[in-house]
């Protein structure tokens, strides 16, 4: 079994998510084969998604830019990219496990 510690810079929701992921990997008997870097990427991307989603909840999906135009909130793109990278990290974990 590998010793894995979730990065300290991720949000609490990501830490809880990673506990679930690690438990499922352990139950499946594949945790020892998983790349630690892929686990770190998964935790950080999920945390980024959560933080961006919270920002969107607070501010809304659009903002008014300096020119006075209504535009997509930058956090929308951050959340979308983090979600895509999280899916990629998950596939990497499944392939190495």
């Amino acid at each position: 079994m590998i010793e894995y510690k979730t990065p300290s810079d991720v949000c609490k929701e990501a830490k809880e998510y990673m506990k679930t992921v690690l438990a499922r990997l352990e139950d499946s008997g594949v945790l020892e084969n998983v790349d630690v870097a892929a686990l770190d990427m998964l935790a950080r991307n999920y945390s980024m998604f959560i933080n961006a989603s919270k920002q969107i909840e607070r501010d809304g999906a659009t903002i008014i830019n300096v020119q006075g135009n209504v535009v997509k909130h930058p956090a929308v793109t951050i959340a979308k990219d983090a979600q895509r990278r999280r899916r990629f990290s998950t596939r990497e974990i499944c392939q190495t496990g």
Side-chain angles (χ1 to χ4, degrees):
M1 181 171 141
I2 67 166
E3 288 293 324
Y4 178 76
K5 183 166 173 39
T6 302
S8 61
D9 60 335
V10 301
C11 68
K12 67 179 180 179
E13 293 91 342
K15 288 179 182 179
E16 289 300 316
Y17 173 71
M18 290 307 294
K19 285 180 187 176
T20 301
V21 168
L22 293 169
R24 288 183 180 168
L25 291 170
E26 180 68 28
D27 290 347
S28 299
V30 297
L31 182 59
E32 64 276 354
N33 299 324
V34 173
D35 180 18
V36 173
L39 292 172
D40 284 348
M41 286 189 304
L42 178 61
R44 287 197 168 99
N45 286 315
Y46 188 70
S47 184
M48 191 176 301
F49 171 77
I50 293 296
N51 290 331
S53 296
K54 287 179 180 179
Q55 185 75 38
I56 295 164
E57 286 177 17
R58 284 190 300 270
D59 299 346
T62 59
I63 60 169
I64 298 175
N65 67 12
V66 295
Q67 291 83 18
N69 300 319
V70 176
V71 296
K72 176 174 61 174
H73 195 298
V76 172
T77 301
I78 293 169
K80 182 180 174 184
D81 290 347
Q83 187 175 35
R84 188 173 58 248
R85 289 190 307 267
R86 185 201 56 82
R87 284 194 303 264
F88 177 78
S89 297
T90 302
R91 280 195 299 272
E92 287 293 308
I93 290 168
C94 291
Q95 289 174 357
T96 60

